[in-house]
Amino acid sequence: TFRDEDGLWSQYDLEDVATPQGYGRDPKLVLDFYNARRANLSDAKPNAAHEAIARLAAQRDVTLITQNIDDLHEQAGSKDVIHMHGSLVESLCTACSDVREWREDMTLESTCPKCKGEGCIRPNVVWFGEMPYHMERIEEVIPAATQFVSIGTSGAVYPAAGYVAACKQFGIPTLELNLEPSDNAGLFDDGRYGPATEVVVNWAQEAMAL
């Protein structure tokens, strides 16, 4: 995790490893940081919450929007996941904007498969100061929702943290599932708190029974 007490932002300065400016100052540091995250991901497995969401999506009309940059939802079986903050297992060419799957280390010598440029490959991850992905699609699906559920987020990063307020304007019921109340927990109609492997699984089972 990034924002927990012992998360990555307590160990690294986000200005150094998660901004375009940091990448411009020291691209090797940034590439090494995300290489380590990719190595962590290679050992990670979906938990019961990921699996419960995938089962629910297979039975109900679910739009899954994630701020997470891992592919654990896909590993659990979810389809068409909207990664608004990009993907750790994709590359972005800063020269030709090519995006493709990339699971190996990135170095200053990495070559773009499309334009053959060298030193222009970075993670396809949205850094602070950059525009999140798929905003038009997200803004289309939110007004049509019958329920908005926020799972495991700090409620501090916008625009995602603003979706609960948007849903309230449309009269859409809102629910927070989290380890503890988020920064904007007071905006939700209801909240359930505890480990995701418990509260998300229980909620998904109830939703499938409706």
Side-chain angles (χ1 to χ4, degrees):
T1 60
F2 286 84
R3 290 183 174 270
D4 286 349
E5 280 188 13
D6 58 349
L8 285 169
W9 296 149
S10 69
Q11 305 168 41
Y12 295 89
D13 187 338
L14 65 85
E15 295 290 338
D16 291 335
V17 297
T19 64
Q21 294 78 12
Y23 181 70
R25 288 192 301 268
D26 193 342
K28 183 179 185 302
L29 174 68
V30 175
L31 295 179
D32 287 346
F33 174 82
Y34 286 97
N35 288 340
R37 307 286 73 75
R38 208 174 295 108
N40 292 153
L41 178 57
S42 68
D43 295 327
K45 300 297 180 187
N47 64 24
H50 295 100
E51 294 166 351
I53 292 170
R55 289 194 299 271
L56 176 62
Q59 297 186 26
R60 298 287 188 269
D61 184 9
V62 174
T63 299
L64 177 55
I65 304 166
T66 183
Q67 298 176 84
N68 294 345
I69 59 174
D70 58 58
D71 65 346
L72 295 178
H73 282 299
E74 287 88 347
Q75 289 187 40
S78 288
K79 311 294 184 185
D80 192 25
V81 182
I82 301 175
H83 283 270
M84 65 180 300
H85 288 170
S87 173
L88 185 59
V89 294
E90 290 180 348
S91 64
L92 170 64
C93 177
T94 58
C96 73
S97 301
D98 181 65
V99 173
R100 66 183 60 215
E101 183 175 358
W102 190 294
R103 293 183 179 270
E104 62 210 49
D105 282 355
M106 296 180 182
T107 70
L108 297 178
E109 291 74 39
S110 294
T111 300
C112 173
K114 183 177 180 181
C115 72
K116 309 305 178 186
E118 184 176 296
C120 52
I121 292 295
R122 55 163 276 189
N124 188 33
V125 171
V126 175
W127 290 329
F128 291 92
E130 295 181 328
M131 180 64 69
Y133 296 153
H134 313 297
M135 293 300 295
E136 289 186 4
R137 183 179 176 193
I138 294 169
E139 290 169 1
E140 286 177 0
V141 299
I142 282 182
T146 55
Q147 184 183 31
F148 174 79
V149 183
S150 175
I151 301 174
T153 180
S154 65
V157 179
Y158 286 81
Y163 292 152
V164 59
C167 287
K168 291 182 78 67
Q169 290 182 335
F170 289 111
I172 299 166
T174 58
L175 170 66
E176 175 171 80
L177 306 177
N178 215 343
L179 188 60
E180 56 190 21
S182 65
D183 287 2
N184 59 355
L187 294 176
F188 287 86
D189 297 323
D190 193 12
R192 303 183 190 182
Y193 302 102
T197 50
E198 296 176 7
V199 294
V200 175
V201 171
N202 291 340
W203 165 75
Q205 289 174 341
E206 293 171 10
M208 285 186 284
L210 294 177

